[in-house]
Amino acid sequence: MVDATAKRRRRPTRDVAFDLFVFGAGALLGYAALARWLTDSPMLSVPAAATVLLVIVMSQYPLTLPQRAGDAVIGFEISALVFLVLVMPPDGALGLWCVGQTLAQLLERPRSWRSRLFNIGITVLCGGLFVLTYSVAERYAPGMHELVALALACVAFFVADLVVTTLSLALEAGESLGSALVWRAVALPLLIFVAVATLGYLAALLQRSQAGWSMLLLLVPVGTILVAARSISDARLTSVRLRGLFEAATEAPGWADEQHIEQALVEQSHRVFRHSTTSWTTTPVPPGKDRMTSVISVDGRPHRWLVVDRASTHHGFDDADRSALDMLAAMAASTLERRRLLDEMSHLARHDVLTGLDNRAVFADRLEHALSYRRHHAPAILYCDLDGFKAVNDRFGHQTGDALLKAVAERLRVCVRPSDTLARLGGDEFAVLLEELGGDHDPLRVARSILDALSTPFTVEAQVIRIQVSVGIAPGQQGLSASDLMRNADTAMYRAKALGKDRAEVFEASMQADNMRRIQLQDELRRALERSEITFAHQVIVDLSTGRIEGVELLARWHHRELGPIGPDVFVPLVEQMGLGLALVDQAFTAARTAAVELARAAGRPLSIAINLTPDQATAPRVLELVTTMRGDHPEVPLVLEITEGTLLVDDTRTREALEALAATGARLAVDDFGVGYSSIGYLHRFPVRILKIDKSFVQDCHELRARPLVEGVIAMARTMGLSVVAEGIEDWSTAALIRDMGCDLGQGFLFARPVPLAELLGLVSTGTVDMSQAAALSRSRVARAALMP
Ligand code: C2E
Ligand code: CA
Ligand code: CA
């Protein structure tokens, strides 16, 4: 018998009709045989009755040989039929066979009614054919050996069973009988079938020789065969399952995406759990007799459910099936997880973590690609650098800075097309690669839309922040390499910055020369620092009432051998950009130590020494070391550290701790250029500041009605806070007098002394004071004038 277990659920009516027809024909035949036998001479021997029982038992232990088209199921009951045919009249044999098979089918539990009916029909019909073949051979070829007739009958039974069952399968699958039948796979089952049948022949021989009870001996080979058949079937099924699992395991690493994984698993599961359908669900479904489910968890959370349904009730799922399904599910889960990890990693490798834009590596790749594949339509690139981003970071902190970068990225995204590449190159630098140029998509237009997009202020973390951008445009040209283009865009961007920022400039060859100069300047600056060619000028700070010299401020100087003196306003930011800020401080402290000694000697008393520090320098641990050493070596010299407001605006613990550590050495912190920056008094409370230096622009405006109350207010406020006030940039006596009258203690400016090399200052310092008589005279006249006014 070939088992019809491969039947699927949705069936066309044609094959149902066929199955019912087979049953009907079988039932009719069985009924006829039984009826005839019963009316004739129903002689029932004990062995014959026992055979019916044997049919039932044996039918539960078939040999299942998995085949591609379906399972070949070989029932050993055929030996019982052989026995019956030999010891009984044909109609009796067929009748008992029919009873046995019907009972066997009814007792076989998990099986659909349709399948049972079909199986009853086919076994009875084939049994009929068997009896017929045997009887005809006996009658018409009397010389033929009984055994040969039986063998013929067996073959007829087997072939009929195979053909009819396969026909039923083919009808159901909508295939032709020819394609469903695999004759190659038939030989071995047929051989086993015939061999088993001979056991029935042996039993009949024993019955004829009146060896009644010795027939029981046959139970030994029958039992052995049944047990062996069960083990072989199990082993075959296990091997099929294992092969499926093994294939799945070897294929799993190649499953590309989620869809592929699902598809592959459905295929593999079909191989592992033959005659079943597999599906995926996103919600759990209850398992059942014909259904197993297994959850696939990714990242510890249920992701999908794998559901396997038996297409037909061959036998339900057993524990081995369930663990195989769990194994498949585990494989899917690990593959999904690995895929996800890979996706994440490749995303990280290609994207900027903060903004989600492409990163520098991807930009470089695309640019290379664009240059090599679009020779006729040269791409263009835009290099965008935010203006004043560092100040935002300093003022609002890095967290706000990051949030602003994200917001900027979002606005930039809107300015480009999907075919363009927008990348963050690092820090506050962005770049756009424009590939499909033409029409209204030209680089200048894109640059303008970028400038426009950033012109509206941002609201980031409840702060309204204005940020602008300088854009350098490098149009592609024949023969330019990726690095040429990047350099050109960078050069154009620098030109945009130099021309006042918040604008776009298109690269021109002449800019290259300027750029070269800038690079050259950086090189030379590096060398100047290495060779300690940066010197320090010294400018005195005087007491505005007495003219007494209180101290000096050190101001860096660089004399370029061709360009002449280059101001610290220009080169200090360059030094910082080059990451050499600390080398400069080292040299400032060396100069400060010399000045401390020489000035004290000249003045006969220690003078204060002031050193300028950028925000980065002020918070560097190296600077704390230098300050500590200097304080240790010259404790009598008051040391002033001038920091800008920008330093104080980064109100984080690191800055606060750094400044407090500096103050703890006994050095005094001065806020430089007070008034030009954010002029917030609030932060003065929070930091250990001792001195306020009013910016020269402020000081020089103090005669104007508008500025005057402001300067007065700042001085008064500083005094109430116990801060010393230094007025910078005093160039004339009237300013000196006015500022002093406003209550300012100290002054600094060209009026008293220009910043000069130390040696030139020693003469003035040795006198100890600056003549303030003119200021005093002015001040008196002002008081007199004030008194005359109504
Ligand atoms: P600053 O700290 O405000 O220094 C005072 C600046 O005002 C100096 O400019 C000085 O030459 C100038 N000045 C002094 N008196 C007068 C005056 O009466 N009228 C006018 N118009 N200007 C006067 P300088 O030397 O060009 O320095 C510019 C800035 O560079 C400094 O401003 C300081 O912020 C920075 N700087 C100078 N040396 C160093 C240094 O060693 N390290 C750091 N980090 N920054 C420095
Ligand atoms: Ca200063
Ligand atoms: Ca200043």
Side-chain angles (χ1 to χ4, degrees), residues 534-537 539-540 553-557 566-573 576 581 584-585 587-588 610-615 617 642 644 672-673 693-696 700 728-732 748-755:
I534 303 291
T535 58
F536 288 86
Q539 188 176 30
V540 291
E553 177 181 358
L554 264 59
L555 295 160
R557 293 288 176 264
I566 296 176
D569 284 335
V570 176
F571 75 82
V572 171
E576 288 242 289
L584 180 65
V585 188
Q587 299 189 8
I611 292 174
N612 291 286
L613 297 175
T614 62
Q617 291 169 338
E642 300 195 1
T644 52
D672 209 348
D673 303 343
K693 294 190 77 172
I694 305 180
D695 188 67
K696 53 180 172 284
Q700 287 163 358
E728 296 184 318
I730 300 179
E731 293 184 356
D732 52 66
Q748 181 180 358
F750 294 168
L751 178 66
F752 312 117
R754 287 190 172 256

Side-chain angles (χ1 to χ4, degrees), residues 64-73 182 184-186 189 236 274-275:
T64 309
L65 296 175
Q67 308 281 320
R68 187 155 42 82
D71 290 345
V73 177
V182 187
R184 257 184 302 124
V186 166
R236 297 262 172 153
R274 315 161 46 70
H275 318 312

Side-chain angles (χ1 to χ4, degrees), residues 330-385:
M331 244 177 256
S334 82
T335 309
L336 279 171
E337 221 150 301
R338 203 169 44 86
R339 267 268 90 89
R340 196 160 288 197
L341 209 70
L342 272 178
D343 287 352
E344 231 164 75
M345 272 160 57
S346 68
H347 183 87
L348 280 182
R350 301 185 61 77
H351 290 81
D352 168 48
V353 183
L354 180 66
T355 59
L357 298 182
D358 289 331
N359 62 17
R360 184 184 278 276
V362 172
F363 188 82
D365 266 5
R366 298 256 171 83
L367 180 56
E368 286 286 357
H369 185 270
L371 286 172
S372 44
Y373 290 94
R374 289 183 198 273
R375 289 182 189 285
H376 304 296
H377 306 276
I381 56 178
L382 307 186
Y383 195 103
C384 311
D385 188 291

Side-chain angles (χ1 to χ4, degrees), residues 316-462:
F317 293 109
D318 56 19
D319 286 347
D321 288 327
R322 270 181 276 278
S323 33
L325 180 65
D326 287 345
M327 260 180 243
L328 273 181
M331 244 177 256
S334 82
T335 309
L336 279 171
E337 221 150 301
R338 203 169 44 86
R339 267 268 90 89
R340 196 160 288 197
L341 209 70
L342 272 178
D343 287 352
E344 231 164 75
M345 272 160 57
S346 68
H347 183 87
L348 280 182
R350 301 185 61 77
H351 290 81
D352 168 48
V353 183
L354 180 66
T355 59
L357 298 182
D358 289 331
N359 62 17
R360 184 184 278 276
V362 172
F363 188 82
D365 266 5
R366 298 256 171 83
L367 180 56
E368 286 286 357
H369 185 270
L371 286 172
S372 44
Y373 290 94
R374 289 183 198 273
R375 289 182 189 285
H376 304 296
H377 306 276
I381 56 178
L382 307 186
Y383 195 103
C384 311
D385 188 291
L386 301 183
D387 302 328
F389 178 72
K390 194 173 177 314
V392 171
N393 244 349
D394 288 348
R395 177 162 186 194
F396 301 106
H398 291 283
Q399 204 178 330
T400 309
D402 284 354
L404 178 66
L405 286 176
K406 274 196 226 173
V408 167
E410 282 317 309
R411 288 206 196 163
L412 293 183
R413 241 188 257 271
V414 180
C415 304
V416 299
R417 291 181 178 183
S419 58
D420 302 331
T421 302
L422 169 62
R424 178 171 170 234
L425 302 184
D428 59 350
E429 292 166 30
F430 297 85
V432 185
L433 169 65
L434 303 172
E435 289 187 59
E436 275 152 35
L437 297 169
D440 60 350
H441 202 54
D442 76 286
L444 249 175
R445 214 180 265 259
V446 176
R448 251 180 247 131
S449 77
I450 287 176
L451 290 169
D452 259 6
L454 298 198
S455 63
T456 331
F458 288 83
T459 307
V460 177
E461 298 188 336

Side-chain angles (χ1 to χ4, degrees), residues 216-266:
L216 284 179
L217 277 179
L218 277 179
L219 286 179
V220 177
V222 167
T224 311
I225 286 176
L226 294 187
V227 170
R230 171 60 62 89
S231 337
I232 291 173
S233 300
D234 285 355
R236 297 262 172 153
L237 283 175
T238 305
S239 113
V240 166
R241 233 184 334 245
L242 281 181
R243 192 160 351 115
L245 284 176
F246 181 72
E247 271 172 27
T250 34
E251 276 179 18
W255 296 340
D257 50 29
E258 198 149 315
Q259 208 184 352
H260 189 177
I261 292 176
E262 291 188 5
Q263 201 185 323
L265 264 191
V266 166

Side-chain angles (χ1 to χ4, degrees), residues 367 371 377-383 432-434 437 442-444 472-481 484-490 492 505-509 511:
L367 180 56
L371 286 172
H377 306 276
I381 56 178
L382 307 186
Y383 195 103
V432 185
L433 169 65
L434 303 172
L437 297 169
D442 76 286
L444 249 175
I473 302 172
Q477 272 168 32
Q478 286 290 337
L480 284 188
S481 70
D484 290 340
L485 264 185
M486 287 298 274
R487 202 194 47 229
N488 290 354
D490 185 56
E505 287 297 317
V506 181
F507 174 78
E508 284 164 23
M511 292 179 187

Side-chain angles (χ1 to χ4, degrees), residues 66-67 70-71 237 240 269-276 310:
Q67 308 281 320
D71 290 345
L237 283 175
V240 166
S269 127
H270 190 68
R271 242 173 269 177
V272 175
F273 312 109
R274 315 161 46 70
H275 318 312
S276 57
R310 264 300 179 223

